[in-house]
Amino acid sequence: MEGPLSVLDDQPLPGLDGPITSSMRRTSTYSIHVTSDEDTALKALAEAVGGRMVAMITDEEVDKLHAERIKQWLSGHASKVQKIVLPPGETSKSLLTACHLLAQSDMRRRDILVAVGGGAIIDTTGWVASIYMRGISYINLPTTLLAQVDAAIGGKVAVNHDTAKNLIGAFYAPDLVVSCTSWLGTLDARQFRAGLAEAIKLAVISSTQLLAFIEQHLESLAALDRTCLQSLVHAASSIKCTLVERDPYEVDLRRTLNFGHTVGHAVETVTGYGPVLHGEAVAYGMAVAVRVAAARGVLPPAVAARIAGLLRAVGLPVLLGELRVAPAAEDVIVALDKVRQVRDGSLRFVLPTGIGSALIVDDVGHDEIRSALAAG
């Protein structure tokens, strides 16, 4: 602040008639830059940082691939850059890790966090930003396909708990997202497939054109073709923003984005957050939801076959035994029941009824779930 700020108030004494009503609303507007050129990405980052102090959060793998290089570049555009490196994977997405970050940081209220990594780093950094000093700025630099098409966008931030995935979280939007598709060139095939699962989810619930694009360009996408990847990330980012804007706090319409996540999160919880990648768990969860919808007669068999066929063509699991670590079906049901308890007895499933249409239901019973889990 430059100079003193003068504030003048003279509030009247209120009457004693009825309750006092208060209104608080926070609106967040941020840009998502999608580019295949790292120089363009870093220029957007520098402009947003604006000379402030930065705490960069990353993991050991991404540090070697990208983060150290980005830190060195950013040092010329920030007053100070502090880098905190975590172990890779979902095990770092925890309350313990969040407390560790808070203890290490010497950030001030107007400084900024920069998340460089995949979904676990972005979720954890965003949640820390939401609680530190009642909320500080953060920027997402997603380096995986899953993070670029999903995790970095929408402001849902959280850490995991033994009871359930993402149990401790908030809605807190970033200041900026910079998705550079050249960073995806370091992904292995398994990580690519896991990211594509989230793009397929988005296409099934909201876009016939996106689904057709994925089907038609599957070979080029798997080869990490930069033009195809940029088109995919740009389209998925735009579509997700549209879905989030109409329901930013997930009251109703945004819930279709949870397609595949009800069972997917339970699988991740049961297998200990790590052996099964998030995208793999979501792919299996989508297959389960598709089977429930088809069994109920709300999803035409041809559409069910199309969705399952695409997941198979990508190399994603659609059967319990195809998961990297296959939990017992009853263990998944127990995990779902724990979520049901947390949510006042309600367990919501997103059941597709076509491409771009879905039902959100809370009456899927144990027998239906058990049958869909054990299919194949």
Side-chain angles (χ1 to χ4, degrees), residues 263 267 284 291 317-330 332 372-375:
V263 166
V267 166
Y284 174 66
R291 289 194 281 269
V318 297
L319 301 176
L320 195 61
E322 294 172 354
L323 292 167
R324 181 64 63 98
V325 173
E330 290 304 315
V332 176
L373 289 173

Side-chain angles (χ1 to χ4, degrees), residues 61-129:
E61 293 180 0
V62 176
D63 185 38
K64 291 180 287 187
L65 295 169
H66 306 294
E68 178 57 26
R69 182 179 70 255
I70 294 170
K71 181 202 170 188
Q72 293 301 323
W73 185 92
L74 191 56
S75 295
H77 302 271
S79 61
K80 178 182 176 182
V81 181
Q82 174 189 14
K83 186 177 67 175
I84 301 173
V85 183
L86 305 176
E90 285 280 328
T91 53
S92 286
K93 186 179 164 180
S94 67
L95 191 57
L96 183 63
T97 298
C99 293
H100 171 69
L101 291 177
L102 293 171
Q104 282 200 62
S105 176
D106 55 359
M107 300 289 285
R108 299 161 301 186
R109 182 70 180 82
R110 301 300 176 188
D111 295 330
I112 191 162
L113 297 178
V114 175
V116 185
I121 288 292
I122 282 170
D123 281 3
T124 305
T125 303
W127 188 70
V128 168

Side-chain angles (χ1 to χ4, degrees), residues 249-310:
Y249 297 107
E250 204 173 80
V251 176
D252 42 43
L253 295 176
R254 180 177 176 170
R255 286 180 178 160
T256 55
L257 286 165
N258 291 328
F259 172 46
H261 285 61
T262 304
V263 166
H265 282 175
V267 166
E268 289 183 88
T269 300
V270 169
T271 55
Y273 301 126
V276 178
L277 298 179
H278 176 67
E280 295 169 339
V282 168
Y284 174 66
M286 286 191 282
V288 170
V290 163
R291 289 194 281 269
V292 172
R296 287 189 168 198
V298 299
L299 180 65
V303 181
R306 181 184 181 187
I307 298 169
L310 178 57

Side-chain angles (χ1 to χ4, degrees), residues 86-322:
L86 305 176
E90 285 280 328
T91 53
S92 286
K93 186 179 164 180
S94 67
L95 191 57
L96 183 63
T97 298
C99 293
H100 171 69
L101 291 177
L102 293 171
Q104 282 200 62
S105 176
D106 55 359
M107 300 289 285
R108 299 161 301 186
R109 182 70 180 82
R110 301 300 176 188
D111 295 330
I112 191 162
L113 297 178
V114 175
V116 185
I121 288 292
I122 282 170
D123 281 3
T124 305
T125 303
W127 188 70
V128 168
S130 76
I131 63 170
Y132 189 64
M133 295 185 178
R134 296 191 177 95
I136 64 172
S137 297
Y138 76 105
I139 292 172
N140 286 332
L141 269 60
T143 60
T144 66
L145 181 59
L146 186 145
Q148 290 190 2
V149 301
D150 186 67
I153 304 164
K156 282 179 71 174
V157 296
V159 293
N160 298 330
H161 188 274
D162 290 344
T163 300
K165 185 179 173 73
N166 295 334
L167 188 63
I168 308 166
F171 292 93
Y172 193 70
D175 283 29
L176 176 74
V177 179
V178 182
S179 294
C180 183
T181 54
S182 68
W183 295 336
L184 304 181
T186 59
L187 293 180
D188 61 29
R190 187 183 176 203
Q191 287 283 354
F192 165 78
R193 292 193 297 267
L196 197 54
E198 285 285 6
I200 292 170
K201 174 208 75 176
L202 192 63
V204 170
I205 63 171
S206 64
S207 178
T208 56
Q209 291 185 14
L210 180 59
L211 188 64
F213 176 86
I214 294 170
E215 291 171 328
Q216 293 164 13
H217 295 88
L218 201 53
E219 187 173 326
S220 295
L221 290 168
L224 301 180
D225 178 87
R226 287 193 181 187
T227 301
C228 280
L229 284 174
Q230 187 170 355
S231 296
L232 175 70
V233 173
H234 189 277
S237 300
S238 178
I239 291 168
K240 181 168 182 182
C241 283
T242 299
L243 300 185
V244 170
E245 283 173 5
R246 69 190 187 191
D247 181 22
Y249 297 107
E250 204 173 80
V251 176
D252 42 43
L253 295 176
R254 180 177 176 170
R255 286 180 178 160
T256 55
L257 286 165
N258 291 328
F259 172 46
H261 285 61
T262 304
V263 166
H265 282 175
V267 166
E268 289 183 88
T269 300
V270 169
T271 55
Y273 301 126
V276 178
L277 298 179
H278 176 67
E280 295 169 339
V282 168
Y284 174 66
M286 286 191 282
V288 170
V290 163
R291 289 194 281 269
V292 172
R296 287 189 168 198
V298 299
L299 180 65
V303 181
R306 181 184 181 187
I307 298 169
L310 178 57
L311 293 173
R312 283 191 179 281
V314 172
L316 288 162
V318 297
L319 301 176
L320 195 61
E322 294 172 354

